[in-house]
């Protein structure tokens, strides 16, 4: 399927791997951006946050990051300060962030990506932990 999808991906993250798998299970080969190697520009990051309808704080990742050490839990910090922190430490950008013609979304849980895919799933899909997300007929499991 010729659909332009971008996934800001961390191959070390199970949620990110599952999201990528669901995109491919729809017959789409996305543009994969390993954002820890190739970080988005500040302008692009702000645009993605805006398009996702989020605040910068909503995109901050705490687990396995310098979040606490940097004092990012301080609610008085401005959006600019939070974006500055994400630019200085890309590991603070939560993942996976997916861009499609249908919108931009932080896909946590991974099956949230199904709302961004224009086509159906081509077959069954189970997450790495074995949880069935899509059945054999390509339908989302409730």
């Amino acid at each position: 399927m010729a659909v332009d999808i971008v996934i800001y991906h961390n191959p070390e993250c199970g949620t990110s791997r599952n999201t990528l798998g669901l995109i491919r299970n729809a017959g789409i080969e996305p543009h994969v951006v390993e954002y820890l190697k190739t970080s988005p520009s500040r302008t692009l990051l702000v645009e993605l946050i805006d398009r996702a309808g989020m605040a910068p704080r909503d995109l901050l990742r705490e687990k396995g990051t310098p979040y606490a050490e940097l004092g990012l839990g301080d609610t008085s910090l401005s959006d600019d300060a939070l974006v500055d922190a994400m630019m200085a430490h890309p590991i603070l950008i939560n993942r996976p962030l997916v861009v499609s013609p249908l919108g931009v979304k932080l896909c946590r849980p991974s099956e949230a990506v199904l709302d961004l895919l224009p086509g159906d799933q081509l077959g069954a899909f189970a997450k790495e932990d074995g949880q069935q997300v899509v059945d054999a007929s390509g339908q989302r499991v409730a």
Side-chain angles (χ1 to χ4, degrees):
M1 177 178 292
V3 177
D4 197 20
I5 304 249
V6 178
I7 179 172
Y8 290 89
H9 178 62
N10 180 347
E12 301 299 316
C13 172
T15 301
S16 197
R17 290 190 305 269
N18 286 324
T19 301
L20 180 58
L22 281 162
I23 295 168
R24 289 177 171 156
N25 197 50
I28 300 167
E29 186 54 42
H31 301 280
V32 178
V33 178
E34 289 190 33
Y35 70 94
L36 294 178
K37 293 179 181 178
T38 307
S39 300
S41 69
R42 180 187 180 83
T43 302
L44 179 57
L45 182 60
V46 169
E47 179 185 319
L48 292 170
I49 291 168
D50 288 345
R51 287 180 60 199
M54 306 171 73
R57 184 166 298 283
D58 299 330
L59 191 60
L60 276 176
R61 181 170 177 82
E62 295 181 40
K63 183 180 173 186
T65 74
Y67 178 92
E69 295 83 6
L70 295 172
L72 297 176
D74 179 351
T75 56
S76 70
L77 290 172
S78 69
D79 286 351
D80 281 340
L82 298 176
V83 172
D84 288 343
M86 286 186 267
M87 293 306 302
H89 306 277
I91 192 72
L92 288 165
I93 302 170
N94 212 341
R95 74 275 181 162
L97 195 60
V98 176
V99 181
S100 96
L102 299 177
V104 177
K105 184 180 272 198
L106 175 62
C107 294
R108 299 189 76 81
S110 55
E111 55 268 27
V113 75
L114 295 172
D115 298 332
L116 294 177
L117 302 177
D120 294 328
Q121 293 285 291
L122 300 179
F125 185 88
K127 293 184 183 184
E128 291 178 0
D129 66 5
Q131 179 189 355
Q132 195 73 31
V133 178
V134 177
D135 66 21
S137 65
Q139 299 301 307
R140 187 179 201 157
V141 175

